[in-house]
Amino acid sequence: MNEEMTIQSLVKVLRKRWFFILMLMVLSIGVAFLISYFIQTPIYEAETQLLVNQKSYENQQLIGAQNVDTDLRLINTYNVIIKSPVILAKVIDVLELNMTPEELMKQIEVSSANNSQVVNIRVQDENEEKAVKIANTIAEVFKEEIPVLMHVDNINILFVAQNSEHPVPVKPNKMLNLIIAAISGFSLAMVLAYFLETIDRTIKTEQDIEEILSLPVIGIVSNIESLTRKKSRVRRST
């Protein structure tokens, strides 16, 4: 019963203050539109892929399933090395970037699927061309350095990041922002409207008397001024 009354009260608030709710939703969507399209900086993403494929070990030859198993165990180590200052510092030197390895690390995401020998390197930047250069340079530097660091040569560049003629930013998600703004605006408007309705104890209609005072309405006093006007109109017509 309480739940039903709550739903009924919300429906009543929605009908009574629909214009207020609509205006607040429009305001929220407008703010989200302004921020998403004119304030937030577009972020682009470039991706390159490495294939971890065993070639040779120092003083040891492994074949078949043993090679694959060894490569899979090394992938977690590679994911850490790729984002280490040893690799990123050389990437910064090659591209002459004005940033520290720690700053560059925040733009990089390294991942690999379970039981997969493919390592994905994703780089995000405000400039799409710069993101592509960073991703490809990381792959090249890592391939060159891994034989020195691990005494193993099992890295091949599987996929090279490329520039797009019409790059699409991955951030911000403008449509998602607008949807979230609409839902948030509606929720906030409903809360405020329900609060205003709760603190408003003025009696405007006979229904308000029944709801607030829990008393039945047995009669209504008509507006005397309106009755006077009606009588005057009748007399003029006769």
Side-chain angles (χ1 to χ4, degrees):
M1 186 65 180
N2 293 335
E3 182 180 356
E4 182 180 353
M5 292 300 295
T6 302
I7 296 176
Q8 289 179 352
S9 61
L10 290 176
V11 172
K12 178 184 175 181
V13 171
L14 182 61
R15 289 178 177 177
K16 187 176 181 180
R17 301 185 182 271
W18 65 269
F19 186 76
F20 170 77
I21 296 172
L22 179 62
M23 288 297 99
L24 197 54
M25 281 185 61
V26 172
L27 178 62
S28 300
I29 295 174
V31 172
F33 180 87
L34 178 65
I35 295 175
S36 299
Y37 284 84
F38 298 101
I39 297 179
Q40 284 187 321
T41 303
I43 302 297
Y44 300 91
E45 184 178 85
E47 179 180 358
T48 184
Q49 293 181 330
L50 301 177
L51 176 62
V52 182
N53 186 19
Q54 181 66 37
K55 290 183 180 179
S56 63
Y57 275 74
E58 195 175 76
N59 300 326
Q60 187 178 18
Q61 295 293 328
L62 299 177
I63 59 174
Q66 290 181 327
N67 283 1
V68 175
D69 184 63
T70 302
D71 292 335
L72 292 176
R73 289 200 304 268
L74 285 173
I75 283 178
N76 291 332
T77 303
Y78 289 171
N79 291 347
V80 176
I81 295 177
I82 290 173
K83 297 180 66 175
S84 67
V86 175
I87 302 298
L88 299 186
K90 293 190 176 182
V91 172
I92 292 174
D93 291 339
V94 172
L95 297 178
E96 298 180 352
L97 301 176
N98 186 21
M99 61 174 60
T100 64
E102 290 74 19
E103 292 173 339
L104 180 58
M105 186 187 304
K106 296 178 181 179
Q107 299 181 226
I108 302 170
E109 178 185 351
V110 182
S111 63
S112 57
N114 291 334
N115 297 324
S116 173
Q117 294 175 261
V118 177
V119 177
N120 303 304
I121 303 175
R122 297 183 181 91
V123 178
Q124 293 185 352
D125 195 85
E126 299 176 3
N127 186 293
E128 191 257 352
E129 183 178 356
K130 182 179 177 182
V132 170
K133 289 182 179 179
I134 292 175
N136 290 334
T137 305
I138 290 175
E140 294 171 359
V141 171
F142 179 72
K143 182 181 178 181
E144 293 175 357
E145 293 297 322
I146 202 64
V148 178
L149 297 173
M150 300 288 294
H151 302 287
V152 61
D153 184 13
N154 63 344
I155 299 297
N156 290 310
I157 299 177
L158 183 64
F159 176 78
V160 178
Q162 297 179 351
N163 294 313
S164 175
E165 295 182 2
H166 305 286
V168 178
V170 294
K171 297 178 183 178
N173 190 329
K174 299 175 183 178
M175 185 56 63
L176 180 61
N177 289 349
L178 295 180
I179 294 174
I180 294 176
I183 297 175
S184 301
F186 176 79
S187 302
L188 178 60
M190 282 296 297
V191 172
L192 291 177
Y194 189 80
F195 175 74
L196 293 175
E197 189 69 18
T198 302
I199 64 176
D200 184 9
R201 309 304 293 177
T202 57
I203 298 176
K204 301 181 180 65
T205 65
E206 58 270 19
Q207 287 80 12
D208 293 337
I209 297 176
E210 294 179 349
E211 293 179 2
I212 297 175
L213 302 179
S214 299
L215 296 175
V217 178
I218 59 177
I220 301 175
V221 179
S222 301
N223 192 320
I224 299 177
E225 183 179 357
S226 62
L227 290 176
T228 304
R229 291 179 180 175
K230 289 181 180 179
K231 291 180 180 180
S232 62
R233 290 176 184 175
V234 173
R235 290 175 181 175
R236 289 176 184 176
S237 61
T238 55

